Amino acid sequence: MSTVSLTLDTQELAQHYERISAAHQFKGGQMLIEELAIRPGEKVLDVGSGTGLLAEYVAGLVGPTGAIIGVDPLPLRIALAQAKGRANLSFKVGTADDLREFPEAGFDVVYLNAVFHWLPEKLEPLRQIYRVLKKGGRLGLSTGSKDHPNQLQTIKAQVLAREPYSRYLEASGGGMYRVSADELRSLLSQSGFAVQKLEVRPHVRYHPSPQAAIEFAEASSFGNFLGHLPEALRTAAREEIKRELEQFRTPEGIRREGGRIIAIAIRS
Ligand SMILES: C[S@@+](CC[C@H](N)C(=O)[O-])C[C@H]1O[C@@H](n2cnc3c(N)ncnc32)[C@H](O)[C@@H]1O
């Protein structure tokens, strides 16, 4: 089985993500950060920081006596993050399954906002996070629930099941590796964490148009949304998905609703 591609990102996708995530992932991320009750002076690691909007917000919470580091495998996104100059905020290119450069028990808090579903393998990242957290340190996860796909994912799966798209094998189910709440609970326990909170919350988003919904999906998937298709078929698939999204038009825009798992776990 192939995996999520980290080579499909472009300057345009990264910049678009920076603009649109302010109204989407950033807002969800603030809720996760609230659950983590981050305090001044704490050391924080943001795994899969993207363009760094949430990390910049956390830099304000930890203040001058604390620090936050963001890691992300996409160099174009890390470059946008690094432009957010603050003394207590830094970014590096890196992946969740290789945190060896960070010292053992160096962080009070590690969080992954809208990232966990992109990791093909979960246990190694969790074990590494466990290693870099201090005893009693908090892990925060906000991730899409496998049991609650949103309309865009469902429509995409239906379109891609048809000819000619079905001839091309997608990297993974929807280009993502979502888990259920039960699976996440089990993964956290297996890697040594004590689960403090784990719940699925309804997650509603509105996009101004079907086109905007697709642009959001492409930017937030760093090109993976339809990235396995040849360019000509990608254009055709986008048109089919857009047509079908029209059925979810409301006065507020194209409505999509899925479920998001919020988990807080403690390093024992
Ligand atoms: C939807 S974005 C979320 C970005 C950011 N956390 C936010 O809240 O805006 C998903 C991020 O996961 C990152 N990602 C994908 N695979 C990863 C991996 N193996 N390790 C760490 N991050 C990864 C991507 O590069 C991308 O920036």
Side-chain angles (χ1 to χ4, degrees), residues 170-245:
E170 204 181 0
S172 64
M176 293 184 188
Y177 302 90
R178 289 173 176 253
V179 290
S180 67
D182 286 346
E183 285 166 348
L184 181 56
R185 188 179 292 280
S186 162
L187 285 163
L188 288 167
S189 305
Q190 280 178 68
S191 34
F193 286 96
V195 177
Q196 188 179 69
K197 172 178 258 187
L198 200 154
E199 57 190 44
V200 182
R201 295 184 186 165
H203 185 216
V204 180
R205 275 180 190 163
Y206 291 94
H207 298 281
S209 64
Q211 172 72 21
I214 292 197
E215 285 171 3
F216 171 81
E218 293 188 327
S220 63
S221 70
F222 33 100
N224 279 268
F225 183 65
L226 297 170
H228 68 296
L229 293 175
E231 185 54 48
L233 282 187
R234 220 178 284 166
T235 306
R238 275 189 201 112
E239 292 309 313
E240 288 195 38
I241 294 170
K242 277 198 259 175
R243 266 199 304 279
E244 301 205 15
L245 277 174

Side-chain angles (χ1 to χ4, degrees), residues 64-75:
T65 56
I68 168 153
I69 301 179
V71 292
D72 196 281
L74 302 176

Side-chain angles (χ1 to χ4, degrees), residues 110-150:
V110 178
Y111 68 84
L112 291 83
N113 184 50
V115 173
F116 200 65
H117 45 260
W118 290 112
L119 308 182
E121 205 285 310
K122 316 291 191 192
L123 275 177
E124 185 55 25
L126 287 175
R127 288 192 189 112
Q128 299 224 13
I129 290 166
Y130 188 93
R131 186 187 68 80
V132 302
L133 270 174
K134 295 177 186 171
K135 199 169 161 49
R138 291 103 75 204
L139 164 62
L141 292 170
S142 172
T143 185
S145 160
K146 183 164 88 177
D147 293 336
H148 304 83
N150 66 50

Side-chain angles (χ1 to χ4, degrees), residues 4 12 25 37 63 104 110 130 137 140 158 176 190 228 239 254 257:
V4 168
E12 197 188 346
Q25 278 92 344
E104 198 174 325
V110 178
Y130 188 93
Q158 287 164 357
M176 293 184 188
Q190 280 178 68
H228 68 296
E239 292 309 313
I254 303 293
E257 177 171 359

Side-chain angles (χ1 to χ4, degrees), residues 1 33 68 80 108 115 148 155 162 169 225 234 236 239 267:
M1 187 179 71
I33 298 306
I68 168 153
L80 290 176
D108 301 287
V115 173
H148 304 83
I155 287 177
R162 295 178 203 146
L169 260 192
F225 183 65
R234 220 178 284 166
E239 292 309 313
R267 187 235 197 264

Side-chain angles (χ1 to χ4, degrees), residues 26 37 45 55 97-98 120 132 135 144 172 207 212 262:
F26 177 67
L45 178 65
D97 59 355
D98 186 5
V132 302
K135 199 169 161 49
S172 64
H207 298 281
I262 303 284

